Amino acid sequence: MNTIEADGLTKVYEGIAVVDDLNLRVSGEIYGLLGPNGSGKTTTVNMLTTLVHPTSGTASVCGYDVMRESAAVRRSMSYVPQDMAVDIRLTGWENVELFAKLYGIKDKAERRERIEYVLDIMNLTERAGDMTKKYSGGMRRRLELAQALVHQPNVLFLDEPTVGLDVTSRRSIWEYITKLRGTGMTIFVTTHQMDEAERYCDRVGIIKKGVLLNEGTPAELTSDLDDVIIIRTDSDLPRSLPDGVIPVKSEDGETVFSAKDGSGSLDPLLDAYRADGGKVFSSSVRGPTLEDVYMQAIGPGEEAPFDEDRFRNMMRRR
Amino acid sequence: MYGVLAYAQRDLTRWLRSPMNVISTLVMPAAWLIFMGVVLPGTDKGYLDFITPGVLVMTMLNAGLFGGSSLMFDKVLGYLNKFLAAPTPRESILAGKIIFITVRGLLQALVIQIIAILVGATVLSFWAYLATFAILALFGVFVASFGTTIALYLGNHDSYAAAQSFLSMPLYLASTAMLRYDQMPAALYYIAKANPLSYAIDAARTASAGTFPVPEVLVLILISVIMALLCTRMFRRATIS
């Protein structure tokens, strides 16, 4: 049995399939669901966390069906949504205590011990007595993780865990998440931070318009792609290109090529420019990244409809 | 029940820590009491005693309508999703909210009652006060459910604020808060007879006079239960799709 299983999971809103025939098998790993805004990431998480009823298909978490055994699903998992929702007029301790109570930890001594433990893991012990109004964005996110961990869940669902955080906080959040995976916990994240997904996720799935297009470890997904050569130049494309070097795009004086053997193809490519009398300002070669995989799968950017309510809330809180 | 208390405690703590919110909802009924009861009729003590139950009910009305937006805010700001993902029965979120709004209203009504006594209202027996506050509690459940239902239906704060100001004053003026039935023009009489506020005010008045108002209390119980059920339906609709 996998910790998270989905078979043909589908959600239709007003005739449009927001999530379309999704199949998932996730266990004991950090699984990243990647996709543009409006691709169905949050709806998928909401179905798995019993917040949204699937239109068709089935899903289970820790062996419990999300429709028929939703209470058991909720007992075995935790969910940290995208909106950073900690009560600013409660202390860090009180915020965690509320969730300890909601998870039914009634014994006072046990509750105290658990709260102390999770605050310590998240490095918040010193500030536990402060109103969370005074917490930074990174601390608030860590506090939400502490809330989520207080009942020792088997699965953790995180919707855009690092959105709106600075680089240092992002890194520390991912370090905590990685540590949790080490304890055997299954972690399901949605994100559109490709660099983070590539670095920290064991496996990723790329979703577009509700359809899972690609799935695998970041290494597997990138291994199918060629190296990338980037040339800064003011010249046109050389008349003849070395074998295996394919121009991908050209904009703002930067031309991008793909090639099976990037470093081996660079010199012949530069020679080709010179042969035409072109001038190359700089050149670089890199291996394919998850972002390349993602861009290839998703295609040219399609803007999601603007969510005015969400925007207003973000403005109100910052 | 454990979850219900946890939710109610969360809200009460948050409220008590924001002094502006604590004071702001008291200003209107206090001003009303002092202006209408003390300043306007000169030295007539009878009128202060007459309007005190009305002002207490108004306090509950304002507290209930003000609190109606609370659950909607929890939804909009993302707290609700976290609560819904917890194993506590989901209805306990709503129950906790209604208890919180009602208890907050009762605390405010208590302050108003004390102000009324300080400005010269007749001091009643303990049982009369107990009956009055039981009636206020019932009415509080009704208004809290009513406000929460409308706020969840409208779904955003701006529309709800408009609805709130649109509802609160007319409901108060078209009730027995200021006038007896026999002093009302015919049109107002029928509106006042259909106004839930009138039942709460009449009941509180009868209780102040020393008898327990059985018919009014039965009506209040009935409408509170119906409104709480409607609110539960709305809550389910607004939370799970």
Side-chain angles (χ1 to χ4, degrees):
Chain A
M1 183 197 77
N2 291 283
T3 312
I4 302 171
E5 292 191 359
D7 289 292
L9 198 62
T10 301
K11 180 69 190 180
V12 178
Y13 282 118
E14 291 164 7
I16 296 164
V18 185
V19 173
D20 195 357
D21 194 22
L22 189 72
N23 298 300
L24 286 172
R25 294 284 180 274
V26 180
S27 254
E29 59 189 324
I30 302 179
Y31 184 94
L33 192 60
L34 317 178
N37 291 334
S39 58
K41 300 190 299 282
T42 300
T43 307
T44 302
V45 171
N46 284 348
M47 285 193 281
L48 294 172
T49 52
T50 77
L51 297 178
V52 166
H53 292 323
T55 309
S56 62
T58 57
S60 68
V61 173
C62 298
Y64 301 112
D65 186 276
V66 294
M67 286 291 285
R68 283 178 288 111
E69 298 159 298
S70 61
V73 170
R74 292 199 288 274
R75 267 195 298 278
S76 34
M77 60 96 190
S78 274
Y79 172 42
V80 181
Q82 193 173 336
D83 327 73
M84 226 177 270
V86 294
D87 279 311
I88 55 168
R89 287 198 294 269
L90 298 183
T91 64
W93 178 280
E94 287 165 339
N95 266 288
V96 180
E97 191 178 33
L98 171 65
F99 276 80
K101 287 178 177 172
L102 297 184
Y103 283 111
I105 308 169
K106 292 183 185 167
D107 182 69
K108 251 189 174 167
E110 187 194 355
R111 195 162 66 216
R112 195 188 172 80
E113 201 178 296
R114 293 268 191 94
I115 299 169
E116 272 170 4
Y117 177 69
V118 289
L119 285 172
D120 182 50
I121 295 183
M122 288 299 146
N123 213 358
L124 288 167
T125 308
E126 270 176 39
R127 303 285 304 274
D130 291 0
M131 293 292 155
T132 46
K133 200 175 192 163
K134 295 183 193 152
Y135 281 24
S136 68
M139 288 170 75
R140 289 181 193 198
R141 196 47 113 192
R142 265 152 48 212
L143 185 64
E144 290 204 292
L145 285 174
Q147 289 178 316
L149 296 174
V150 74
H151 70 124
Q152 301 170 316
N154 297 320
V155 194
L156 190 56
F157 287 93
L158 304 170
D159 198 359
E160 303 279 356
T162 58
V163 74
L165 299 183
D166 62 36
V167 181
T168 328
S169 308
R170 280 166 186 269
R171 182 168 297 184
S172 88
I173 291 293
W174 278 109
E175 278 163 9
Y176 288 114
I177 295 173
T178 311
K179 246 190 249 173
L180 292 173
R181 191 256 327 262
T183 65
M185 195 181 287
T186 300
I187 295 143
F188 191 100
V189 255
T190 73
T191 182
H192 36 217
Q193 301 295 326
M194 291 308 133
D195 50 331
E196 295 179 3
E198 180 159 15
R199 192 156 164 202
Y200 299 105
C201 291
D202 300 311
R203 269 191 325 137
V204 298
I206 297 175
I207 187 172
K208 181 191 179 183
K209 289 185 178 165
V211 179
L212 198 61
L213 300 172
N214 249 333
E215 197 181 43
T217 67
E220 279 166 11
L221 293 179
T222 50
S223 70
D224 295 343
L225 287 193
D226 293 345
D227 290 344
V228 176
I229 305 175
I230 300 162
I231 304 280
R232 289 195 71 84
T233 174
D234 59 1
S235 318
D236 293 332
L237 276 181
R239 270 165 300 164
S240 74
L241 288 169
D243 278 351
V245 176
I246 302 153
V248 178
K249 61 172 182 180
S250 184
E251 55 186 23
D252 304 330
E254 206 175 75
T255 308
V256 179
F257 299 89
S258 70
K260 264 258 159 321
D261 173 14
S263 37
S265 307
L266 180 60
D267 281 339
L269 180 61
L270 294 176
D271 289 341
Y273 269 103
R274 278 185 215 114
D276 287 0
K279 205 170 173 190
V280 173
F281 305 122
S282 70
S283 64
S284 62
V285 179
R286 61 169 175 79
T289 62
L290 195 57
E291 187 166 336
D292 300 321
V293 178
Y294 177 85
M295 290 311 289
Q296 204 178 62
I298 298 296
E302 236 177 86
E303 290 266 340
F306 185 66
D307 186 343
E308 196 181 342
D309 279 348
R310 174 154 301 228
F311 178 72
R312 271 203 305 194
N313 291 332
M314 284 165 72
M315 296 311 287
R316 198 175 291 157
R317 265 179 304 154
R318 299 240 158 99
Chain B
M1 201 55 206
Y2 194 70
V4 176
L5 293 179
Y7 286 123
Q9 190 192 10
R10 160 198 180 236
D11 278 323
L12 270 173
T13 314
R14 294 198 314 168
W15 172 61
L16 289 171
R17 282 186 189 157
S18 61
M20 254 334 268
N21 283 350
V22 174
I23 295 165
S24 68
T25 31
L26 282 173
V27 172
M28 175 80 141
W32 203 261
L33 188 70
I34 291 165
F35 185 72
M36 295 303 290
V38 182
V39 181
L40 214 56
T43 53
D44 184 2
K45 188 173 169 175
Y47 195 64
L48 179 62
D49 281 338
F50 177 75
I51 68 158
T52 298
V55 174
L56 290 175
V57 171
M58 177 204 224
T59 309
M60 292 306 286
L61 175 72
N62 286 348
L65 289 179
F66 180 72
S69 60
S70 178
L71 192 57
M72 184 259 297
F73 267 123
D74 277 355
K75 182 181 178 187
V76 172
L77 295 177
Y79 298 104
L80 190 59
N81 265 353
K82 284 170 74 172
F83 296 154
L84 290 170
T88 328
R90 283 172 169 161
E91 282 69 24
S92 53
I93 301 170
L94 181 62
K97 197 58 92 182
I98 293 193
I99 289 176
F100 156 65
I101 297 170
T102 307
V103 168
R104 179 172 71 178
L106 289 173
L107 291 174
Q108 290 172 337
L110 189 66
V111 174
I112 295 297
Q113 179 66 66
I114 292 167
I115 294 175
I117 293 170
L118 290 179
V119 296
T122 311
V123 179
L124 308 171
S125 74
F126 171 75
W127 294 110
Y129 284 128
L130 192 68
T132 305
F133 275 79
I135 290 159
L136 291 179
L138 263 178
F139 181 69
V141 171
F142 170 77
V143 189
S145 312
F146 177 67
T148 302
T149 309
I150 295 194
L152 284 179
Y153 175 75
L154 294 173
N156 70 76
H157 179 249
D158 300 340
S159 315
Y160 184 70
Q164 194 183 335
S165 54
F166 168 79
L167 286 167
S168 124
M169 258 312 166
L171 273 176
Y172 183 67
L173 293 175
S175 74
T176 46
M178 319 281 294
L179 297 169
R180 269 186 292 274
Y181 289 117
D182 57 22
Q183 299 165 314
M184 291 178 185
L188 186 60
Y189 174 85
Y190 291 111
I191 299 172
K193 270 285 178 190
N195 187 344
L197 240 74
S198 304
Y199 288 90
I201 295 166
D202 296 347
R205 241 171 230 153
T206 315
S208 307
T211 35
F212 193 76
V214 178
E216 284 92 346
V217 167
L218 288 178
V219 171
L220 283 175
I221 291 176
L222 185 72
I223 60 173
S224 303
V225 169
I226 292 174
M227 196 46 85
L229 289 175
L230 281 176
C231 190
T232 310
R233 250 186 85 175
M234 190 63 196
F235 172 74
R236 289 191 181 134
R237 237 183 67 186
T239 47
I240 299 295
S241 48

